[in-house]
Amino acid sequence: MLDLLIIGAGPAGAAAAIEAERSGLEAVTIDKAHFPRDKCCGDGLTAGCLRQLDALGLDPKNVPSWQPVTDVKVAGPNGRVVTFPLPKGNGLFAAITRRSELDAALVARAREVGADIREDVELESVEILDGGTVRAVAGGETFTAKHLIAADGMWSPTRKMLGLTIPDYRGDWHAFRQYFRNVSPAASADLYVWFEEDLLPGYVWSFPLADGSANVGFGIQRDTGHRIQDMKTLWPDILARPHIREIIGVDAEPEGPHKAWPIPARIGHIDLASGPVLFVGDAAAATDPMTGEGIGQAIETGRLAVASIIAAPDDAAAHYERSLARGMVKDHALAGFLSGILGNRRGAQWSVNIAGTTEWTRRNFARWLFEDYPRAVLGTPRRWSRRVFNRDGAYRRPPGPLIPE
C-alpha cells in the first residue's frame, strides 16, 4: 500500500510530489497529460509564488522563457499610467514564464529528487474504503493508498467520482489570453495592467517573456453583468484600443490562436477534504479572487497537504483545513472584499490614485499586489514576524521544507 497517491502533476501535484519524496513517503503521481503541455494562464509569478518555487529547488535556468520583472505599470479607468516599482537588489519579486515550460520544469524537478511521476495515465475510478484508505484505478492499474491528494484541476475527476462537485459551477473568473511576437520594446520589457471601465473588476494585461514576446489577455468575473460568451468578440475591440495597442505595438502579431479558461476562486466555500482525500490547487478553488492568480496558491496547498499528512497522519484532513483557515482562506476573503471596491470606475480609479500617492505607497502597493506578504497579514497576528513587511525576494537562500501551521 502506498502512503500517498497524487492525481495530477501540475504545480500543485508536482509540489506535493517533491515534498512527499523529501519526507520519505512512498508516493506515486499520475497525470493524464504528457509534459510539456500547454496550460491556459496569464503566466505571472508573484513574490509569494517565487518563494514557493525557490523552496522547491526549481532553477529558473531550466525555464527558457523566464523573464524577471522589476516595475509594474498600472492604468486606472482614466488611462493615466502609474509605475509601481518592486524592490531591486535583494532577490526576485515578480517574473513571467510560459506555463508549458514552468510545469514541465516542475515535473523534471520532482523526478530529480526521486519522485515517481507517471504521464499518460488517466484516473478511471476512486473510492474511499471502509478502513479509511483509498483505492483508485488508473491506466488499468489499481492503487491503494493511505492518503490521496487531488491536484486534478477545476473539473476534478476525483471530486466528481466522490460526489462532491458543485452543481452547475463554471468558475468565478474567466480569462482569455493570446501570445504575441514582434511586440514593442515596452511590452517586451515591462508588465502592464489596465483597469478598463467596461471590464471592472476585471482587467487587461500584457506580460513580457524572455524571447521578446508577450502574453496579452484579459479577465472578467462571472455574475458581474459580463457575458462570458462575448469574450471572443470583445477581444478585437480590446486590442484596437489606442492606449493598449500603443504598448503592444503596431507590428505585434499573434503567435497562435487565443484561448479562454475558467478560474475557480472560492476556497472558503468548497470542500477541501473528504476522509483521506485532500484537494489542492484549482481542485480546491484556491485562486486569488481579486487577481485570478493561482500558481503560488496551488503550490502552497500542495505542500501544505503533504505537511498535514506528515504532522497528523490520522487526521490530515482536519489539520489541512485548519492550516488553510488560518491563512489562505482569510487572505482570499479580504481579496474578495477588495475586489468589490474595484468593481466600479470610482473605486478602481481611487485605488490607483491612493496607491500612487508617494514613493512609499507605490513601492508597498506593488509588494502587496504581488503577494510579497499575505493579503490579510494585519488581521492575522500569528503570522507576524520581525521582517514581514521587509523580506528579501526569492532566490536568496537555499531551499528548505515548509513549516506546517
Side-chain angles (χ1 to χ4, degrees):
M1 178 182 291
L2 296 171
D3 292 315
L4 175 62
L5 177 64
I6 302 169
I7 311 298
I18 292 169
E19 293 295 1
E21 186 64 28
R22 285 174 169 176
S23 302
L25 296 180
E26 184 180 359
V28 170
T29 302
I30 65 170
D31 197 298
K32 67 179 182 180
H34 185 85
F35 293 81
R37 55 95 175 97
D38 190 26
K39 173 70 174 178
C40 288
C41 184
D43 295 341
L45 308 178
T46 64
C49 178
L50 291 167
R51 288 198 184 93
Q52 295 287 343
L53 292 170
D54 191 3
L56 294 175
L58 180 80
D59 188 342
K61 294 178 181 178
N62 295 328
V63 188
S65 60
W66 187 281
Q67 176 67 43
V69 173
T70 57
D71 289 328
V72 181
K73 297 181 182 295
V74 179
N78 70 3
R80 186 174 70 90
V81 176
V82 179
T83 299
F84 296 95
L86 288 161
K88 300 173 179 64
N90 61 332
L92 189 59
F93 290 84
I96 313 296
T97 174
R98 294 176 187 254
R99 280 291 302 278
S100 58
E101 296 176 1
L102 176 67
D103 291 10
L106 279 169
V107 168
R109 172 57 183 158
R111 286 180 170 143
E112 183 180 48
V113 302
D116 182 354
I117 296 185
R118 307 179 189 184
E119 301 172 67
D120 302 306
V121 178
E122 187 167 0
L123 182 68
E124 299 167 28
S125 67
V126 61
E127 59 180 323
I128 299 173
L129 304 178
D130 290 340
T133 57
V134 180
R135 179 166 60 207
V137 178
E141 184 176 355
T142 299
F143 300 88
T144 56
K146 297 175 185 176
H147 294 91
L148 184 148
I149 290 178
D152 46 359
M154 174 176 160
W155 308 113
S156 170
T158 304
R159 187 178 285 279
K160 182 178 180 180
M161 292 171 186
L162 294 177
L164 298 174
T165 55
I166 301 174
D168 300 320
Y169 179 54
R170 298 180 182 179
D172 300 284
W173 278 76
H174 266 68
F176 192 101
R177 70 103 162 106
Q178 192 166 29
Y179 289 112
F180 284 82
R181 56 178 175 264
N182 298 329
V183 297
S184 72
S188 67
D190 294 323
L191 185 156
Y192 282 84
V193 172
W194 294 272
F195 286 105
E196 297 290 282
E197 184 173 1
D198 58 326
L199 301 178
L200 296 175
Y203 57 93
V204 180
W205 70 77
S206 176
F207 291 173
L209 292 159
D211 60 2
S213 62
N215 179 320
V216 184
F218 72 105
I220 57 176
Q221 286 189 13
R222 292 185 66 89
D223 303 324
T224 56
H226 299 297
R227 290 168 52 85
I228 304 304
Q229 58 267 38
D230 291 341
M231 294 183 79
K232 181 179 178 179
T233 55
L234 181 59
W235 187 225
D237 171 71
I238 291 174
L239 292 176
R241 297 178 186 186
H243 56 290
I244 293 177
R245 195 72 202 189
E246 178 185 5
I247 298 302
I248 299 172
V250 295
D251 296 324
E253 300 173 335
E255 186 179 288
H258 53 69
K259 292 189 177 181
W261 71 103
I263 298 175
R266 54 173 63 193
I267 194 170
H269 308 280
I270 191 171
D271 292 320
L272 296 175
S274 178
V277 177
L278 310 180
F279 295 98
V280 299
D282 279 359
T287 301
D288 187 310
M290 185 176 70
T291 64
E293 148 65 9
I295 305 173
Q297 287 83 349
I299 296 172
E300 182 178 355
T301 54
R303 299 181 70 208
L304 279 174
V306 174
S308 295
I309 290 169
I310 297 299
D314 295 327
D315 199 11
H319 190 281
Y320 176 61
E321 290 171 336
R322 285 197 302 270
S323 296
L324 290 172
R326 293 168 179 169
M328 190 179 295
V329 171
K330 286 185 170 60
D331 293 331
H332 286 201
L334 177 62
F337 169 77
L338 294 174
S339 182
I341 296 176
L342 297 173
N344 60 78
R345 177 185 175 90
R346 178 177 295 181
Q349 191 60 59
W350 176 84
S351 299
V352 174
N353 290 345
I354 292 297
T357 301
T358 68
E359 180 181 350
W360 185 90
T361 59
R362 288 192 294 271
R363 182 176 65 252
N364 282 278
F365 174 76
R367 296 184 73 157
W368 176 82
L369 184 66
F370 276 77
E371 299 173 335
D372 182 26
Y373 46 83
R375 292 260 191 263
V377 67
L378 291 177
T380 51
R382 64 184 308 278
R383 294 188 290 175
W384 293 357
S385 65
R386 187 175 182 180
R387 296 192 62 200
V388 67
F389 297 113
N390 192 31
R391 299 171 64 189
D392 288 338
Y395 294 97
R396 294 275 291 179
R397 298 183 177 88
L402 181 69
I403 300 175
E405 292 281 346

